[in-house]
Amino acid sequence: MSRTAVPAQDTPAPAGSTAADDPAPEDASTPFPGAAPRTFRSRSGRAGAWAELLRLPALFTVPGDVLAGTAAAGARPGPRTLLAIGSSLCLYEAGMALNDWADRTEDAAERPHRPIPSGRIRPAAALTAAGALTGAGLALAAGAGRPALAVAAPLAATVWAYDLALKHTPAGPAAMAAARGLDLLLGAAATGGGTRTALPSAALLGTHTLAVTAVSRRETTGGSVLAPLAALATTAALTRLVTHRRTRLPAGRRAAAAPGLPGPGPAEHPLQVTGALAAALGAAYAATAGRPYFHAALNPSPPLTQRAVGGGIRATIPLQAALAARSGSAVTSLLVAALAPAGRMFARRSGMRKVSIT
């Protein structure tokens, strides 16, 4: 899902899904030094090219969508949640492969280092991968139940519509936002808790994605002051909604919290605990996204715009965690928050500290 989505580490990671898509470090896809067999070197290069095409570091921003949706529905993560996460990951990667296939001509001029224009991956292979991943995502969603499939199908359609038709139109950011929102609703639907209670969380996550995507549209050219300013204002508004609005438990959790009554949700934490956790994570979200947006507004050069996109993508994880805490699930919130350091570690070890949603 080309969703802003996000987060790899450090400087830009646009993506989804974000920082700038500068050439990966030289050792990201080149063979190890020494007398390694030629076949090993070629396999290593192909693996690196696919990792770059699929923006693997950005994958750490995806499970939090489903987990935040599960929390919003007042449910405990279970086997269907895992199926929904698998579906989400497949659809996200389908969007990444399709994104580069659709932009292969443009990338040949603006980003010749990318896997397709550089000749490391054939266009037909990328398109085939996009189709296969979409099919796998829908199959996994079907395994999670009809409600999950009913959300995954429009999610897949949104991904393909964005990459093939909407990306370079005014509707592009809205389509990306819709994809992230649907991804969160997928988690709610898979648990059987229904999607209605998850709509507010989906709207907040979608709004964040809309802002990041709007900034990303100028990441190669820069020059836009309004987009990072609008994103900065959006971040401030979302932070207030997540941190200052009283944590309200879904109906099932409220019933479970009553003295002496067991409930279907996870073990409940006092509202003050989840409220404090939401505040802390909201502050982390604001700090991660706000600073690079501010710098890009002051100087909308391509490098700083790319950093702003990267910050927005990385901020997706603390926002997802804050939304889970806001829904009253401290355990799920902490689980989502743990994806941020895991993503940074993976990005460092893989040599892919920059990914892009465009």
Side-chain angles (χ1 to χ4, degrees):
M1 287 185 281
S2 297
R3 310 136 263 298
T4 308
V6 183
Q9 153 75 345
D10 155 347
T11 51
S17 303
T18 167
D21 197 333
D22 294 341
E26 290 183 358
D27 62 352
S29 59
T30 53
F32 292 108
R38 187 171 187 174
T39 54
F40 174 78
R41 292 200 300 269
S42 64
R43 289 176 182 175
S44 175
R46 284 197 298 270
W50 279 102
E52 185 180 340
L53 179 81
L54 298 175
R55 279 76 153 182
L56 292 187
L59 278 181
F60 289 86
T61 71
V62 178
D65 291 344
V66 172
L67 291 171
T70 299
R76 175 188 288 121
R80 290 190 176 187
T81 307
L82 293 178
L83 287 172
I85 290 174
S87 173
S88 177
L89 291 171
C90 286
L91 294 177
Y92 186 95
E93 293 291 46
M96 290 300 183
L98 186 63
N99 175 83
D100 279 21
W101 179 84
D103 286 353
R104 61 194 185 281
T105 301
E106 174 186 326
D107 286 346
E110 297 184 359
R111 308 174 183 92
H113 59 273
R114 282 188 169 179
I116 293 178
S118 66
R120 290 175 289 153
I121 292 179
R122 293 182 295 107
L127 182 60
T128 299
L133 286 165
T134 299
L138 293 175
L140 288 168
R146 288 186 179 180
L149 181 59
V151 175
L155 172 57
T158 302
V159 170
W160 281 71
Y162 173 83
D163 284 330
L164 298 182
L166 301 177
K167 180 178 177 180
H168 300 295
T169 72
M176 183 78 85
R180 274 287 183 182
L182 286 169
D183 208 28
L184 187 146
L185 294 179
L186 176 61
T191 62
T195 58
R196 180 172 298 180
T197 57
L199 287 175
S201 292
L204 293 176
L205 183 60
T207 300
H208 164 72
T209 305
L210 179 69
V212 180
T213 307
V215 175
S216 75
R217 289 162 78 87
R218 301 295 293 272
E219 66 178 341
T220 60
T221 61
S224 173
V225 174
L226 291 179
L229 275 178
L232 184 61
T234 299
T235 300
L238 292 176
T239 301
R240 180 169 181 81
L241 287 172
V242 170
T243 61
H244 290 281
R245 185 171 177 177
R246 180 169 163 268
T247 303
R248 300 182 66 181
L249 301 179
R253 287 214 178 118
R254 289 198 298 270
L261 291 180
E268 297 307 329
H269 298 261
L271 285 180
Q272 59 267 33
V273 173
T274 52
L277 186 57
L281 290 166
Y285 160 68
T288 303
R291 184 177 179 182
Y293 285 156
F294 179 70
H295 289 165
L298 292 177
N299 178 13
S301 63
L304 290 182
T305 300
Q306 291 162 3
R307 289 186 181 223
V309 177
I313 293 178
R314 293 191 303 277
T316 303
I317 293 179
L319 177 59
Q320 293 163 336
L323 290 172
R326 180 175 180 267
S327 298
S329 180
V331 173
T332 300
S333 175
L334 293 173
L335 179 62
V336 174
L339 293 171
R344 288 194 294 269
M345 183 180 300
F346 177 85
R348 284 196 298 268
R349 291 186 176 181
S350 65
M352 294 177 61
R353 302 183 72 178
K354 297 179 180 182
V355 296
S356 176
I357 55 174
T358 61

